[in-house]
Amino acid sequence: MKSLLHGVSKGVLLTALFFLLIVSPVNAGQQVSVDGNLVNVRSGPGLQYERVAQVNQGDKYDVLETRDGWVKIDLGTSSGWVAGWLVHTVQSSKANSQQTSKAAANAVRIYIDGEQAEADVSPYIDSNNRTMVPLRFIAEKLGAYVSWDGSQGMISVSQPGSSIQLWVGKKTASYNGEEFDLDTSPVIKEERTMVPLRFVSERLGCETAWNKDQRSVYITRKVNVEPEFEVTVSSQKANIRSGPGTNYTSVAQVDAGNVLGVLGDSGEWYEVLLPQGGKGWISKGVVYSPGEEPDFNGEPGDDSSRGNTGDRYCIVTGSTVNVRSGPGLDYGVVDQVARGTRLQIGESNSGWYQIALPSGKDGWIAGWLVSVEGEQGTDDYGDIPDPAVVTRTAIIVADVANVRQQASEQAQLVTQVYRGQEVPVTDQQGQWYKLSLSGGVEGWIANWLVATKEQPASQRDGKLPSRGEDPAKPLEGTIIVLDPGHGSMQPGDWSDPGAVGVSGLRERDVVVNIGETVGQILTAKGATVVHTRTGDTVMSLEERAGIASATGAEIYVSIHCNSSLSSLLAGTSTYYYAPANMSASMRASRERLAAVIQEELLRALGRENKGIRQEAFSVLRNTTVPSVLVEVAFLSNAEEERLLSTGEFQTKAASAIANGIIRYFSS
Ligand SMILES: [Zn+2]
């Protein structure tokens, strides 16, 4: 969840840890003094390693090595690891005498594709343990274009598909328009600009590895890899993305007819070399291989789920199903189709099919709401009921919000609406909702200024039936708040992305997709669902929590993805908050809600069980109804990031969360 905003104790703990690591860097060759009494010495750098000895407060030891915040100390006849936050460095005479040789010891060698690379200023490891190289090195050796804006201290490094900005003295960077936190900041040294090597080289598509014994960084330029085969682009202006999924940023576009070398694939996506250099990911649906003839709008794809090369059709199984402009719930609705409609299908992407509408236009439809002719039943990602046709209401969350003539911030003002007003939504276009105001007035409002309430159409008359009247609709009469984490607008007009995975997948985008699907399932079961956001939002965390009492909701479910400093951590966890001063029944409800959702998630996703945990997160602390915060999986883990990028995994997670909620209300 990378707690920019809602981290309470977790955030504080991490900050404290960073602080300790940064203010007292320990290096090999120094001496440390033990701070705690009877500090454990372990066989490796982490709490999971077994204890091999204990040391006492004030004892001093020579440092042999440091790693991940742990310090390897010389015990005389043996050695072991102590936590870096339980020792501090001491100025020994030995360390002083080694001051001059320390600079040399700090120097690092850099190998690019196996060959040692010389730099005009020696690369070195800074006090934050990051390898720093001269900016010119990046340009000359990695083939990127660099520029320097002295007035702002801004460094730009670019390559087709990658644009990086860094600032001297600032621990923030921007990559393809996204903000990133750095462990260290660029500096001016010997009149040269020194930048953190790993951050830059990895975003230029290189792999980096550190060999501590040789004090060497090995950089592998993936772009030098020979492509396995070539494909031809069959679609005009096909998007090249930074990762294998539509959730990833579009970094370039290629035209039909371009031939791209394929480096590898993941799901429905190829990793390709771009004509102008650099690399990125392209949907298999918009390319074809030599010898293959395009058979659908020139876009045959190489979809393994496709059994034959002829035309394929699907039958709509949902009662009234939205057709969207792209393969995902975040695309605008372009049309609706009724149950039983037969449609020709083209490419597939992340669980969605491109379809040809009767009007001749194209659109995308969710794969779980159709059955494809000639294919065995549906897949394994959950039992998603038909989405009922819902009525949507916008709840204004800004103090004052503009309603405009068109879906654009430039469009003329129609009127203004105020916090707390509830207005029916009649249409949606991208990030805008069309409102139907009193007196027949209509206009558009940006989705970050509203929360939305969705009700089954059967309740359009406003009467809320009571729970249990209809066994097919067990949640009838129940109001549920779904809160996809992050996406809060920040000063300077950017929105909190939450955790960002190694290949750039953003938590805020994944969780909004999951939230929307949970909402579809719950409304189909009769519930009234309030979404704190469907895009970005101007709401603070306290305001999000307040939505529950403002709407009379019975439960509040916040959806997040986890993130850790360790890329090895993986798994699913669910948090609740039930301090002793809370009533016993409220504490029991909160724990039970967490337990059923966690159980369903584990069963559906099959990831490691990280447990049901108590934590005083803002949204849990500030809700008066039973509330939980779900951490679906870890974006900082490469495998789970890949899973989280797929429509299938998002849908499984959504289905599991919905099942947990249904179980909670059924017992
Ligand atoms: Zn989060």
Side-chain angles (χ1 to χ4, degrees):
M1 81 163 55
K2 192 176 175 199
S3 322
L4 262 180
L5 293 158
H6 57 62
V8 186
S9 45
K10 191 168 152 194
V12 170
L13 183 72
L14 281 178
T15 314
L17 192 58
F18 271 122
F19 182 71
L20 285 162
L21 291 177
I22 288 165
V23 293
S24 99
V26 180
N27 291 305
Q30 287 181 312
Q31 218 176 38
V32 288
S33 174
V34 177
D35 293 330
N37 203 22
L38 285 180
V39 167
N40 290 328
V41 182
R42 297 182 183 273
S43 63
L47 294 169
Q48 70 273 32
Y49 292 93
E50 60 168 327
R51 191 177 76 193
V52 294
Q54 287 190 313
V55 289
N56 285 306
Q57 190 153 25
D59 288 352
K60 293 184 179 60
Y61 297 95
D62 287 330
V63 174
L64 300 171
E65 194 184 326
T66 63
R67 197 192 305 165
D68 300 336
W70 288 69
V71 178
K72 190 175 188 182
I73 55 171
D74 186 354
L75 295 166
T77 53
S78 65
S79 63
W81 294 83
V82 291
W85 55 92
L86 296 175
V87 297
H88 68 273
T89 52
V90 287
Q91 280 294 5
S92 69
S93 51
K94 190 178 163 195
N96 280 338
S97 69
Q98 287 181 341
Q99 207 63 45
T100 36
S101 60
K102 207 179 126 196
N106 259 348
V108 284
R109 281 192 294 266
I110 296 176
Y111 292 86
I112 296 177
D113 295 330
E115 268 183 49
Q116 189 171 355
E118 299 292 341
D120 48 355
V121 176
S122 291
Y124 65 96
I125 293 183
D126 75 6
S127 61
N128 297 320
N129 245 328
R130 295 290 145 192
T131 304
M132 304 295 281
V133 295
L135 184 59
R136 249 179 69 189
F137 176 92
I138 298 282
E140 286 173 6
K141 308 295 181 189
L142 300 182
Y145 176 75
V146 302
S147 64
W148 162 250
D149 176 350
S151 66
Q152 295 187 55
M154 186 178 83
I155 302 147
S156 292
V157 179
S158 54
Q159 233 184 22
S162 304
S163 168
I164 306 164
Q165 279 82 41
L166 303 115
W167 290 266
V168 169
K170 269 181 69 177
K171 284 193 178 176
T172 342
S174 157
Y175 169 63
N176 290 341
E178 290 259 358
E179 294 237 11
F180 281 84
D181 290 333
L182 300 175
D183 295 325
T184 196
S185 54
V187 292
I188 309 281
K189 190 174 188 282
E190 296 172 38
E191 294 182 295
R192 296 297 161 85
T193 309
M194 306 297 287
V195 296
L197 173 62
R198 180 186 279 261
F199 178 83
V200 174
S201 67
E202 292 194 343
R203 269 152 195 88
L204 294 175
C206 304
E207 272 179 357
T208 58
W210 164 244
N211 183 314
K212 69 173 170 7
D213 297 329
Q214 299 170 4
R215 295 187 67 75
S216 300
V217 178
Y218 289 88
I219 296 178
T220 313
R221 285 184 294 182
K222 284 200 217 149
V223 286
N224 281 353
V225 171
E226 283 292 307
E228 293 172 23
F229 58 96
E230 287 177 336
V231 291
T232 307
V233 179
S234 61
S235 168
Q236 283 304 329
K237 300 265 174 273
N239 281 318
I240 303 289
R241 296 185 181 272
S242 62
T246 50
N247 292 315
Y248 292 89
T249 323
S250 170
V251 293
Q253 287 190 323
V254 287
D255 286 321
N258 268 304
V259 175
L260 309 173
V262 175
L263 300 172
D265 75 333
S266 170
E268 298 288 293
W269 295 75
Y270 284 130
E271 188 178 29
V272 292
L273 291 171
L274 301 180
Q276 65 271 43
K279 60 195 181 87
W281 293 82
I282 192 166
S283 164
K284 288 179 180 175
V286 297
V287 299
Y288 63 96
S289 319
E292 203 184 15
E293 283 302 315
D295 66 354
F296 178 82
N297 295 344
E299 302 171 7
D302 186 20
D303 183 348
S304 54
S305 71
R306 192 175 304 180
N308 56 65
T309 53
D311 290 347
R312 288 199 314 160
Y313 289 87
C314 69
I315 305 281
V316 178
T317 55
S319 57
T320 304
V321 175
N322 287 330
V323 177
R324 294 179 185 268
S325 62
L329 295 165
D330 42 354
Y331 290 91
V333 176
V334 296
D335 204 348
Q336 289 191 320
V337 286
R339 190 202 307 267
T341 311
R342 185 168 183 261
L343 301 161
Q344 189 183 353
I345 56 180
E347 63 176 286
S348 70
N349 188 336
S350 309
W352 289 67
Y353 291 110
Q354 192 181 35
I355 51 130
L357 288 164
S359 65
K361 282 198 228 155
D362 283 358
W364 290 81
I365 196 163
W368 57 90
L369 298 174
V370 299
S371 99
V372 176
E373 287 181 355
E375 272 181 14
Q376 295 293 321
T378 39
D379 32 49
D380 57 352
Y381 50 74
D383 173 29
I384 303 232
D386 296 352
V389 176
V390 296
T391 58
R392 183 179 260 176
T393 310
I395 305 169
I396 314 303
V397 297
D399 291 334
V400 188
N402 292 328
V403 178
R404 299 181 182 276
Q405 261 180 10
Q406 268 130 37
S408 154
E409 280 185 274
Q410 277 72 48
Q412 210 180 325
L413 199 64
V414 173
T415 183
Q416 289 188 315
V417 285
Y418 300 92
R419 182 190 294 275
Q421 258 183 278
E422 295 196 13
V423 190
V425 173
T426 54
D427 197 2
Q428 184 182 358
Q429 237 181 59
Q431 304 188 329
W432 292 73
Y433 289 123
K434 191 176 192 183
L435 303 181
S436 166
L437 295 147
S438 56
V441 178
E442 292 196 317
W444 294 84
I445 192 165
N447 72 355
W448 55 89
L449 303 174
V450 304
T452 64
K453 186 164 85 178
E454 276 147 30
Q455 280 175 288
S458 57
Q459 297 168 16
R460 207 178 307 216
D461 53 7
K463 121 175 138 51
L464 217 53
S466 53
R467 196 150 63 222
E469 274 179 12
D470 178 353
K473 305 219 158 143
L475 297 179
E476 225 158 26
T478 311
I479 302 174
I480 294 161
V481 177
L482 297 177
D483 172 43
H486 308 278
S488 283
M489 302 296 282
Q490 305 294 305
D493 249 14
W494 56 280
S495 116
D496 161 27
V500 179
V502 277
S503 54
L505 185 64
R506 292 169 303 199
E507 180 182 0
R508 70 157 186 248
D509 298 333
V510 174
V511 297
V512 91
N513 284 353
I514 294 175
E516 181 146 354
T517 307
V518 176
Q520 285 184 348
I521 299 170
L522 296 178
T523 45
K525 293 287 181 189
T528 294
V529 175
V530 176
H531 294 266
T532 55
R533 65 180 187 94
T534 52
D536 293 327
T537 181
V538 295
M539 268 194 286
S540 69
L541 293 174
E542 291 75 11
E543 287 171 329
R544 289 189 194 210
I547 281 281
S549 43
T551 55
E554 289 183 52
I555 61 165
Y556 181 100
V557 177
S558 192
I559 304 168
H560 288 254
C561 301
N562 220 330
S563 178
S564 162
L565 293 175
S566 162
S567 59
L568 297 177
L569 282 188
T572 304
S573 49
T574 303
Y575 289 84
Y576 68 105
Y577 176 62
N581 62 0
M582 203 174 257
S583 80
S585 67
M586 175 59 79
R587 292 169 64 189
S589 295
R590 287 180 170 220
E591 187 177 356
R592 191 165 61 84
L593 181 59
V596 287
I597 290 178
Q598 174 74 359
E599 205 179 291
E600 291 294 331
L601 280 167
L602 292 176
R603 181 157 59 194
L605 304 179
R607 307 306 301 170
E608 193 183 317
N609 184 3
K610 289 270 177 230
I612 304 156
R613 300 163 175 225
Q614 287 214 52
E615 195 73 74
F617 292 130
S618 173
V619 291
L620 302 182
R621 218 175 49 234
N622 292 312
T623 35
T624 50
V625 296
S627 56
V628 296
L629 186 150
V630 170
E631 297 278 12
V632 176
F634 279 77
L635 267 172
S636 47
N637 177 274
E639 186 192 350
E640 294 199 338
E641 183 195 21
R642 191 190 58 73
L643 288 170
L644 285 164
S645 75
T646 66
E648 285 88 341
F649 192 83
Q650 293 177 4
T651 305
K652 274 187 198 171
S655 179
I657 292 167
N659 286 341
I661 292 170
I662 293 164
R663 268 180 64 192
Y664 171 83
F665 282 108
S666 69
S667 53

